[in-house]
Amino acid sequence: MTMSRPWLKRTLFALCLLLLALTASGFLNSAPPADPTTGRAKLLSYMLRGQLATHHYHPKPIDDKLSGEVFDLFLKQLDAQKRFLLKKDVARLRTYAGRIDDEIRSGRVELPLVAAPLMAERVHLVEQMLPALLKEPLDPESAGEMETDPEKLDFCATPQELRERWRQLLRYQALNRYLDLLEEKEKAGKPPTAPEREALLAEARAKALKNVTAFLHRQQEETGQDYLNRYFESLSRAFDPHTNYLPPTAKEDFDIHMRGSLEGIGATLREEDGFIKVVSILPGGAASRQGELQAEDLILEVAQGDGDPVDVTDTRLRDAVSLIRGPKGSEVRLMVKKPDGRRLPISIIRDVVQIEETFVKSTLLKDPDGGPTWGYVRIPSFYRDFSGNGHGAPSRNSTDDVRRELEKLSASDISGLVVDLRNNGGGALTDAVAIAGLFFPTGPVVQVKAGDGKVQTLSDDDPGVAYDGPMVVLVNQFSASASEILAGALQDYGRAVILGSAHTHGKGTVQAVIDLDRNLSLRNMGDYLPLGALMVTIQKFYRVSGESTQARGVLPDIVLPDPLEHLKSGEQYLDHALPWDRVASVEYRRWTEPVGRIEQLRANSRERVAGDGDFAEIAKAVAQAKERSEKTRVSLRLADLRQERQQARSAKDPGGHGAGPLSTKEDKEKEPLADTLRADPYAREALAVLGDLLSGVQSAGSGGKVAVGHLAYASNH
């Protein structure tokens, strides 16, 4: 059968029309192609779900329980200070609390894409409130209070409640700026007249407005990708606090996430519940030498030199860091909130880290009455120069430095040794194991357990002993990770008496960084790169006794009054921290330990501490600090703010956090390290315990003694 040419043309034309109609219908009725943000979110959901399930030490099921945990973390990141979202907004977002597991499995991420425009809407609402709020009269002496602890606040129910919250905040900021200006005039000996006070008040309100406007502008600059990053960070942190999604940013930002170190002031920071918190102070850095900024402080405001302060609450870490960093020799002024609730201004001159201050140091402590000579070694961190130039000297490491200092001390025939691990946040595991081996012959030091249940024992194989006399190890709440491995090993072996806070930090986990780009196995996904990295917990540490250092930390043999004992500080207080547990112990041989020695040492120490004036002052300051920390409501009256500021300046710091900065070469002539330590009640008590070990332990309240002398190596265990 044949077909005429005109008929064929008509048929083909009709088919083309039908095909065009079907194509147009399909395009109009189908969802538009996923934009890069949505496609990237789908890919990240797939990648993170797989990497967490494969590599995390204790992977969690992606279920409704995890969904709720992720939602709570995400909500805190959205509006931790409860300054924007209304209750109805939170209720709307909470409908996703049980669906996050479904989002992660399907890759159809919705919560952050709903939260982003909602937050933008509320930020805009607050911006609209400001002009009217600033037109209201401001009487500095009118009464009022404001709650500063977001945990005690609820989200506002109405825009009117939100307006009142911002009215209080603006008033508080304006009065503090006003008080700054008044004090400047008074310090210059020029008390302002009534008209001048009115002008200063207007200037203070303008400064407060400028500060809040800049803060809101930063909030409006948040992108949809920023919200997605927070979402995936919340997902990873729900597994444990040290598992984090690291979004692709500039290398400087990546280093901040990985190390948190700031060359400008020498501090480690992190975002926590809407605040910028100081995690640790780097030895040899500008903050360490200045001496006032300490771990657990919250940075509320940052100012450059004489410039106006910028509020950094509810600010991304990298934005806060950009304000804190600066050229060497320039001034940065921080308004910090101390753990006891005091607000204090701290001025720091930015500088490079003095490398020598980051290294192991030692000194001799001689009894002025001709008694024993003691040795003291401080290990600020377990550093190891893997690159060959990272610490200023080829292949320098903490093990060699400790060995060298022990040789110097032993040459002076010391009768006992104090090893100071206070504020040591850890470092190279290699050095923790090797340094432990300097104090006893070969033996296991730490066990490392992987997620598959396999346990590896790391041992010291060097039979040499660099020091075999009596030892006391000083620790505090900020002794973490490798510090806990060393202290725990020396305690398990009965090799040293551990002295300090009720517990060390409790960081008993190991993390690895996974480059998500290198682990991407799917093809044709180049448009979504870079994806960033995942820092994931892969192992846990266990002592030779089988006990984990995780959460509980190391419990000292002798507990001393702790300047921060009122704080909930340490791994056990972090959200979703992995629990303490234990594995089987390994065979090891203990150093000899006289029966009852520790109890007698404790009794003697309690007696000394009870009669020590410095510890009495610390106990008094701690009680006052605890009382201040529980008062989270602040007055909105100028006279009260002035009084609180004066009290904060005059309040005695409750003993700091232990080991402070060691003397620089220039300082040694003015105040030798030995003199600094004699003024340290914790170091003095450590020497007193050494005295008990050396001369025999006398029971409290009796005249009997138990012979101790130098401890000897035994093999009966």
Side-chain angles (χ1 to χ4, degrees):
M1 181 177 178
T2 60
M3 192 179 294
S4 67
R5 195 173 188 86
W7 189 93
L8 177 61
K9 288 181 179 180
R10 289 195 299 272
T11 302
L12 290 174
F13 181 73
L15 288 171
C16 287
L17 288 177
L18 179 61
L19 179 61
L20 286 171
L22 291 172
T23 302
S25 175
F27 177 79
L28 292 174
N29 290 299
S30 63
D35 62 37
T37 298
T38 304
R40 191 167 179 276
K42 186 171 185 177
L43 178 58
L44 273 171
S45 298
Y46 168 79
M47 290 290 293
L48 291 177
R49 177 163 53 94
Q51 296 297 332
L52 288 167
T54 303
H55 297 291
H56 195 273
Y57 175 83
H58 185 63
K60 295 182 176 181
I62 308 294
D63 57 14
D64 287 349
K65 182 177 185 296
L66 182 72
S67 282
E69 294 170 348
V70 174
F71 177 81
D72 290 340
L73 289 168
F74 182 70
L75 184 61
K76 273 190 175 182
Q77 292 203 61
L78 271 187
D79 190 14
Q81 301 295 314
K82 299 171 183 172
R83 294 179 178 179
F84 295 107
L85 295 176
L86 301 178
K87 285 185 177 181
K88 65 178 182 180
D89 302 327
V90 176
R92 178 185 173 190
L93 294 174
R94 197 171 292 280
T95 60
Y96 291 87
R99 295 157 49 182
I100 294 175
D101 56 326
D102 302 318
E103 292 186 1
I104 296 299
R105 280 194 295 267
S106 68
R108 297 179 61 86
V109 174
E110 298 181 31
L111 175 58
L113 303 181
V114 171
L118 185 58
M119 276 293 291
E121 179 184 341
R122 293 306 174 211
V123 172
H124 181 63
L125 174 63
V126 172
E127 285 179 324
Q128 291 178 314
M129 294 176 178
L130 292 182
L133 286 172
L134 288 167
K135 288 180 182 179
E136 294 183 358
L138 177 59
D139 178 7
E141 297 307 327
S142 62
E145 284 188 331
M146 182 180 75
E147 178 59 64
T148 60
D149 184 356
E151 294 295 324
K152 296 180 181 179
L153 290 171
D154 197 356
F155 289 96
C156 294
T158 64
Q160 290 73 29
E161 285 186 23
L162 189 64
R163 184 182 188 280
E164 174 59 19
R165 186 161 295 178
W166 276 92
R167 185 195 69 79
Q168 293 177 353
L169 180 63
L170 280 169
R171 177 181 175 85
Y172 184 67
Q173 291 197 3
L175 287 179
N176 273 290
R177 300 288 178 270
Y178 181 46
L179 189 52
D180 291 340
L181 296 171
L182 287 176
E183 289 182 342
E184 287 178 14
K185 290 283 188 181
E186 293 164 358
K187 189 180 297 183
K190 299 177 181 179
T193 62
E196 288 175 333
R197 293 174 74 92
E198 286 296 323
L200 291 177
L201 186 58
E203 182 181 349
R205 297 185 73 173
K207 287 178 179 290
L209 174 62
K210 180 181 177 182
N211 187 24
V212 172
T213 301
F215 167 67
L216 294 176
H217 179 68
R218 291 197 304 273
Q219 294 290 322
Q220 290 285 30
E221 287 182 330
E222 297 283 313
T223 65
Q225 190 60 58
D226 289 324
Y227 285 90
L228 281 168
N229 290 342
R230 289 196 180 100
Y231 177 83
F232 290 123
E233 183 179 350
S234 300
L235 169 65
S236 59
R237 284 179 55 200
F239 279 70
D240 83 281
H242 303 292
T243 294
N244 293 290
Y245 167 62
L246 308 176
T249 57
K251 184 179 185 300
E252 180 179 47
D253 290 341
F254 185 78
D255 289 341
I256 291 166
H257 282 287
M258 294 294 292
R259 298 196 308 272
S261 63
L262 308 176
E263 293 180 0
I265 64 172
T268 304
L269 310 179
R270 72 164 174 253
E271 291 179 57
E272 185 174 296
D273 298 342
F275 290 108
I276 303 298
K277 174 176 274 192
V278 179
V279 178
S280 62
I281 302 297
L282 182 65
S288 173
R289 297 198 298 277
Q290 196 271 351
E292 292 184 320
L293 188 68
Q294 296 177 325
E296 296 294 319
D297 288 350
L298 302 178
I299 298 178
L300 305 179
E301 297 174 348
V302 180
Q304 311 299 326
D306 296 331
D308 293 332
V310 176
D311 185 351
V312 293
T313 53
D314 276 324
T315 298
R316 292 174 299 186
L317 179 60
R318 68 173 182 262
D319 291 334
V321 166
S322 68
L323 295 170
I324 296 172
R325 284 181 182 267
K328 176 184 176 181
S330 60
E331 180 191 27
V332 60
R333 292 184 294 112
L334 309 176
M335 177 60 71
V336 305
K337 184 177 182 180
K338 290 289 184 179
D340 61 4
R342 291 177 295 149
R343 290 170 53 101
L344 288 176
I346 296 177
S347 173
I348 299 174
I349 303 301
R350 299 180 178 100
D351 200 355
V352 295
V353 173
Q354 293 186 1
I355 296 297
E356 281 300 318
E357 286 300 298
T358 69
F359 293 143
V360 170
K361 287 187 179 293
S362 72
T363 190
L364 291 171
L365 299 170
K366 296 183 179 180
D367 190 320
D369 298 324
T373 297
W374 310 113
Y376 170 92
V377 175
R378 181 186 174 193
I379 308 175
S381 69
F382 294 90
Y383 50 84
R384 175 161 289 265
D385 185 3
F386 293 104
S387 66
N389 57 14
H391 287 281
S395 302
R396 186 160 187 177
N397 62 78
S398 51
T399 301
D400 290 342
D401 286 354
V402 170
R403 182 185 289 109
R404 188 179 304 112
E405 297 303 319
L406 290 176
E407 290 172 354
K408 286 163 45 178
L409 294 173
S410 295
S412 299
D413 194 26
I414 59 173
S415 299
L417 176 69
V418 175
V419 175
D420 197 341
L421 296 178
R422 290 176 293 174
N423 301 336
N424 183 327
L429 177 61
T430 305
D431 290 278
V433 173
I435 290 173
L438 296 177
F439 301 107
F440 54 77
T442 58
V445 175
V446 65
Q447 301 183 76
V448 184
K449 182 181 177 183
D452 60 5
K454 294 180 180 178
V455 179
Q456 178 187 10
T457 301
L458 303 182
S459 302
D460 169 64
D461 298 322
D462 184 353
V465 177
Y467 174 75
D468 65 356
M471 283 179 62
V472 168
V473 175
L474 277 170
V475 296
N476 64 6
Q477 293 184 48
F478 305 102
S479 304
S481 194
S483 292
E484 296 171 297
I485 290 172
L486 176 57
L490 294 177
Q491 187 180 54
D492 286 338
Y493 273 83
R495 180 63 188 87
V497 177
I498 313 299
L499 189 72
S501 304
H503 60 81
T504 56
H505 186 78
K507 205 282 190 175
T509 55
V510 184
Q511 283 71 43
V513 177
I514 298 172
D515 187 324
L516 296 179
D517 294 351
R518 293 182 181 179
N519 284 271
L520 180 60
S521 58
L522 301 176
R523 296 181 179 180
N524 304 319
M525 293 292 166
D527 290 345
Y528 300 127
L529 301 182
L531 296 173
L534 177 68
M535 181 185 291
V536 58
T537 296
I538 59 170
Q539 296 171 322
K540 281 180 76 173
F541 290 132
Y542 294 84
R543 294 161 59 160
V544 293
S545 62
E547 295 185 351
S548 173
T549 58
Q550 172 63 16
R552 287 188 188 178
V554 175
L555 307 182
D557 301 304
I558 299 175
V559 176
L560 297 178
D562 186 348
L564 296 179
E565 64 185 25
H566 65 287
L567 282 184
K568 292 182 177 180
S569 176
E571 183 85 5
Q572 60 187 295
Y573 299 110
L574 297 179
D575 289 338
H576 310 299
L578 294 181
W580 178 91
D581 62 348
R582 63 184 306 146
V583 295
S585 63
V586 293
E587 185 177 349
Y588 64 99
R589 295 181 294 174
R590 287 175 60 86
W591 212 265
T592 55
E593 181 179 0
V595 177
R597 179 187 66 154
I598 293 299
E599 283 303 323
Q600 292 165 0
L601 290 173
R602 285 188 188 123
N604 280 5
S605 180
R606 283 194 297 267
E607 189 174 291
R608 281 190 299 268
V609 167
D612 188 295
D614 286 337
F615 279 118
E617 284 296 315
I618 289 173
K620 180 180 178 182
V622 166
Q624 293 172 344
K626 184 176 186 298
E627 183 179 354
R628 284 194 299 267
S629 68
E630 293 172 350
K631 294 180 179 178
T632 56
R633 297 189 67 83
V634 295
S635 174
L636 297 176
R637 183 170 172 265
L638 181 66
D640 296 333
L641 290 176
R642 185 189 286 269
Q643 182 180 8
E644 289 172 6
R645 186 175 291 192
Q646 291 171 346
Q647 290 175 346
R649 288 169 177 164
S650 61
K652 184 176 180 180
D653 193 292
H657 303 324
L662 297 181
S663 304
T664 62
K665 292 179 180 178
E666 295 77 10
D667 293 335
K668 285 181 179 178
E669 297 178 0
K670 302 176 184 177
E671 187 177 20
L673 174 56
D675 291 345
T676 302
L677 290 170
R678 287 192 181 95
D680 179 352
Y682 300 94
R684 288 203 312 270
E685 179 57 23
L687 297 182
V689 173
L690 280 177
D692 286 345
L693 288 172
L694 180 65
S695 61
V697 183
Q698 180 174 346
S699 301
S702 72
K705 291 189 177 182
V706 178
V708 178
H710 276 60
L711 301 177
Y713 190 60
S715 59
N716 58 333
H717 291 279

